[in-house]
Amino acid sequence: MTSFREFAETCQAIEKISSTIDTTNRVADLLKKVDIEELPTTTHFIMSKVFPAWSGKQLGIGTSLLYTSLSKASGMPVKSIQTLVRTTGDIGDAALLILKEKRKNQVTFSSFLEEPPEFSIMEVYNRFKIASEASGKGSQEVKIRNLQYLFNSSTPREAKYIARLALEELRIGVGEGVVRDAIAKAFSVPADVVEHAFMVTNDLGIVAATSKEGGLEALERLGIEINRPIKMMLSQISPDIDADIKEMKEAAVEWKFDGARVQVHKDGDSVTLFSRKLENVTDSLPDLVEIVRKHVKAESAILDGEAVAVDEDGKPRAFQEILKRFRRKYNVEEKALDIPIQLNLFDIMYLNGKTLIDLPLIERRKLLESCVESSVEDSKAICVDKQVITGDLEVIEQIYREALEAGHEGLVIKNPNSIYSPGKRGKNWLKKKPLMETLDLVVVGAEWGFGRRANLIGSYTVACYDPKTLRFLQVGKVGTGLTDEQLKELTEMLSGLMEGGEAGGVFAIRPKIVLEIAFEEIQKSPNYNSGFALRFPRFVRIRDDKAPEEADTIQRIGKVYSQQLKRL
Ligand code: AMP
């Protein structure tokens, strides 16, 4: 059994390192050292995750619960803890100081000098698990008791990383890329095989344990499994789409539906649906489950598609409508009648025991068509997205116009010979939509409104993502474009995410919510830590189908900025 103290020491060491190679080596050393049963959890922990993303398990520990637990463990009032978080800017650093203070008092009163006994990484995991599973009456007490226990038993340094882990933000800059390379190094397996194994399992914990136990051979045997969602393949905007199409020679042209992504897992009669964020949304969409059961003729399959809300004539409705269905937990049946859904399928990744992601798109497409059957009465409810293979730019332009006229968002233009690359955004899937530049940005701060809007959060500081440092960098403040209803909805969503109390009506927000923001221009600016500022930003919509790490990156902001200069 490996102690959490050792884990905390590794985190501390990594925090001081700036080179990626040295970070990778430290992570590799840790992974090599831990026992096989601890390996999946340690792998997740080092990436700031308690559960693998695909499991759908939520830790569900908010800042106020964390402050209460720290307060109970240390005797320090919650208000003082909030002040400490504000002055240090970090819950981990605040926890470290709180525990130091507590120990100082203990030493003075009882000349108690020894470090508390060590506890294992799995003890921390088990306490988090109990906290996450607690529900209903008394659940808050259970969560607090388990966190309090951990803080009571911690050294200041352990407390620092427990507090950060409880919010799933270790702030040590270790992401999937580092862990992939660390697994390759620790268990002497090639990085590309680790990457492929990650693509099919979507779980670096499983990949690490398989590498340790069975080496290269076992790793190569790993495949897709039904009911374990794989990451979605993503599309990108091309700066010169015509040139990219010419390069493909022939392209597979599909309508781009403006709905919500779904990954369908069919296993006999059982159907499970996952959202773009890989959350299990089956219970919210019983009508889709029924449609898949009825019309997908396969013993087992994993399919990719877009769910679109439609009106009586099958015309697409606004994007927000479909999200209402995905979020719905109560009165699901009633909402299903209210907002009917159409499922447009465009890919297949698994069929009757076989992983298909390494087949070219045209082959996958044939298999998809062979197993989806739509009868006359249900043809509006399920279909395979129409696809035209062509290299003719005029034909593509014509299909594009048709798509827009039919009320869709545009086109996705795909390389017919490309494999399905889970989680990858690249030139093999290109999106073509009307040019209204928008960015998907994460809310990291907020302010209360004034006058009529005094009880609502009225302004949001938004940030882009930096995949290199895994941090969110501010690019501006948004306070226009919202209806009262949207303000109310966002106020509710954000009030559970406030961090560190407020000063003068302004407070920090844990980066969880993604907004689509339109703007006039990007400028260089010293006012925000990204170095850029949006001119005239306005709210377009909430993107709660997107995870914060999927927000637009600082690199994209830089690119849009330089494209703008070219246009001037
Ligand atoms: P965006 O959300 O703007 O990054 O655009 C990419 C999204 O378009 C995908 O994640 C899908 O949800 C959606 N989409 C709609 N139709 C298609 C299609 N035919 N192929 C791939 N993605 C599609």
Side-chain angles (χ1 to χ4, degrees):
M1 279 287 165
T2 314
S3 70
F4 189 79
R5 200 158 297 169
E6 189 146 356
F7 178 83
E9 273 160 22
T10 302
C11 293
Q12 180 76 22
I14 292 173
E15 218 174 320
K16 293 199 179 117
I17 298 173
S18 57
S19 116
T20 313
I21 296 177
D22 294 344
T23 303
T24 309
N25 288 340
R26 278 308 296 236
V27 176
D29 289 344
L30 177 72
L31 297 183
K32 224 172 5 187
K33 201 176 275 174
V34 302
D35 297 340
I36 187 84
E37 314 81 64
E38 306 167 312
L39 194 46
T41 296
T42 310
T43 311
H44 300 142
F45 270 15
I46 202 74
M47 290 187 293
S48 300
K49 295 274 178 282
V50 173
F51 308 112
W54 64 264
S55 70
K57 284 192 193 144
Q58 300 284 342
L59 187 53
I61 296 173
T63 40
S64 69
L65 202 124
L66 196 55
Y67 297 163
T68 310
S69 316
L70 264 170
S71 166
K72 290 200 174 205
S74 64
M76 187 183 274
V78 169
K79 273 233 163 331
S80 317
I81 293 178
Q82 282 176 338
T83 311
L84 253 184
V85 174
R86 214 170 26 241
T87 46
T88 57
D90 171 50
I91 179 69
D93 291 337
L96 181 108
L97 293 176
I98 294 163
L99 265 276
K100 269 192 179 159
E101 186 66 26
K102 179 185 169 191
R103 264 182 73 70
K104 214 164 69 193
N105 293 340
Q106 278 175 335
V107 171
T108 329
F109 290 121
S110 64
S111 61
F112 172 77
L113 274 167
E114 278 170 31
E115 298 251 283
E118 297 194 14
F119 52 90
S120 68
I121 292 176
M122 292 317 283
E123 169 91 35
V124 177
Y125 173 78
N126 289 331
R127 298 266 166 195
F128 278 149
K129 187 159 174 282
I130 295 170
S132 86
E133 285 168 359
S135 67
K137 207 166 156 249
S139 61
Q140 293 299 87
E141 286 72 32
V142 174
K143 288 175 200 268
I144 291 169
R145 213 178 316 124
N146 279 281
L147 281 175
Q148 187 188 342
Y149 177 90
L150 289 174
F151 288 127
N152 268 336
S153 328
S154 296
T155 61
R157 188 186 289 162
E158 284 165 330
K160 170 175 172 175
Y161 293 105
I162 284 172
R164 287 188 183 172
L165 207 46
L167 296 181
E168 299 197 280
E169 284 163 33
L170 274 185
R171 299 188 171 203
I172 56 170
V174 175
E176 287 167 357
V178 166
V179 171
R180 178 199 55 208
D181 293 345
I183 293 173
K185 180 152 202 300
F187 309 113
S188 309
V189 283
D192 59 335
V193 182
V194 175
E195 174 70 19
H196 190 268
F198 177 43
M199 275 196 188
V200 291
T201 57
N202 196 10
D203 188 336
L204 282 168
I206 295 176
V207 174
T210 309
S211 307
K212 182 170 179 134
E213 224 171 15
L216 180 57
E217 221 177 286
L219 208 53
E220 283 177 330
R221 270 202 312 273
L222 279 176
I224 288 180
E225 262 180 36
I226 289 273
N227 294 335
R228 187 176 62 204
I230 54 174
K231 287 192 193 176
M232 312 271 183
M233 182 162 174
L234 302 166
S235 57
Q236 69 174 26
I237 294 179
S238 164
D240 189 349
I241 197 155
D242 291 353
D244 286 333
I245 295 169
K246 274 195 193 133
E247 208 176 295
M248 285 182 204
K249 295 204 173 66
E250 290 218 300
V253 182
E254 298 173 5
W255 281 5
K256 184 177 192 302
F257 294 95
D258 194 11
R261 191 82 176 259
V262 263
Q263 191 174 102
V264 179
H265 288 234
K266 179 175 187 293
D267 186 12
D269 240 4
S270 129
V271 174
T272 313
L273 305 170
F274 296 98
S275 71
R276 180 185 168 125
K277 285 198 275 190
L278 308 184
E279 288 159 343
N280 187 330
V281 287
T282 317
D283 290 344
S284 307
L285 306 163
D287 43 343
L288 270 197
V289 169
E290 214 31 61
I291 292 167
V292 171
R293 228 181 245 147
K294 213 159 136 194
H295 296 286
V296 177
K297 303 293 168 202
E299 189 39 42
S300 61
I302 302 179
L303 309 164
D304 195 356
E306 187 88 350
V308 186
V310 286
D311 61 21
E312 301 83 51
D313 311 323
K315 278 228 164 222
R317 304 213 288 194
F319 169 79
Q320 290 309 332
E321 298 295 316
I322 185 77
L323 286 190
K324 278 188 204 155
R325 285 290 320 269
F326 270 59
R327 273 192 235 143
R328 195 84 183 176
K329 295 229 166 58
Y330 313 101
N331 302 329
V332 168
E333 308 284 340
E334 187 187 305
K335 209 73 197 165
L337 290 177
D338 244 22
I339 309 176
I341 297 186
Q342 186 182 61
L343 178 61
N344 293 286
L345 293 164
F346 49 75
D347 221 316
I348 182 163
M349 294 82 95
Y350 179 92
L351 181 63
N352 299 333
K354 282 210 187 82
T355 295
L356 308 179
I357 63 167
D358 295 320
L359 290 182
L361 172 63
I362 27 170
E363 298 295 326
R364 298 200 304 276
R365 173 85 195 183
K366 281 185 209 148
L367 294 169
L368 173 66
E369 282 170 7
S370 74
C371 70
V372 178
E373 189 183 75
S374 56
S375 69
V376 179
E377 87 269 21
D378 275 335
S379 61
K380 276 190 205 148
I382 186 165
C383 62
V384 175
D385 192 356
K386 214 172 97 189
Q387 188 191 66
V388 177
I389 307 267
T390 178
D392 187 334
L393 296 179
E394 272 177 32
V395 175
I396 296 177
E397 212 41 54
Q398 175 62 26
I399 306 171
Y400 178 56
R401 276 195 300 271
E402 281 164 17
L404 296 182
E405 266 161 37
H408 301 294
E409 225 192 340
L411 299 179
V412 185
I413 298 171
K414 301 178 179 175
N415 182 343
N417 297 312
S418 59
I419 60 168
Y420 190 98
S421 315
K424 292 272 146 48
R425 190 188 293 286
K427 273 189 165 185
N428 285 329
W429 284 19
L430 301 170
K431 51 186 168 185
K432 181 176 166 77
K433 10 187 218 180
L435 238 178
M436 201 247 310
E437 207 89 75
T438 63
L439 291 167
D440 294 330
L441 299 168
V442 181
V443 182
V444 294
E447 267 173 67
W448 290 109
F450 299 100
R452 194 167 64 81
R453 293 180 163 179
N455 293 327
L456 297 170
I457 296 176
S459 158
Y460 314 92
T461 307
V462 288
C464 60
Y465 185 53
D466 181 359
K468 288 201 183 123
T469 59
L470 313 182
R471 299 214 161 189
F472 293 94
L473 303 171
Q474 300 171 1
V475 290
K477 273 189 192 174
V478 187
T480 50
L482 294 110
T483 62
D484 281 1
E485 198 191 327
Q486 286 165 332
L487 279 171
K488 236 185 247 163
E489 188 180 2
L490 270 171
T491 303
E492 262 169 41
M493 288 169 97
L494 294 174
S495 46
L497 297 171
M498 292 179 185
E499 205 165 42
E502 57 178 273
V506 183
F507 43 87
I509 295 281
R510 286 176 59 202
K512 295 281 172 202
I513 310 266
V514 181
L515 304 183
E516 185 175 340
I517 304 294
F519 59 96
E520 300 271 305
E521 199 189 339
I522 298 179
Q523 298 175 318
K524 288 244 176 194
S525 162
N527 297 335
Y528 297 109
N529 60 359
S530 65
F532 294 104
L534 301 183
R535 228 165 91 84
F536 302 126
R538 48 185 201 285
F539 171 89
V540 179
R541 59 189 178 179
I542 304 172
R543 289 291 313 247
D544 54 1
D545 59 325
K546 273 201 172 180
E549 293 77 20
E550 282 187 277
D552 277 305
T553 58
I554 181 73
Q555 286 78 15
R556 170 144 150 77
I557 305 256
K559 238 189 220 164
V560 176
Y561 174 74
S562 39
Q563 276 164 7
Q564 242 172 230
L565 294 184
K566 270 191 236 154
R567 260 188 256 139
L568 290 177

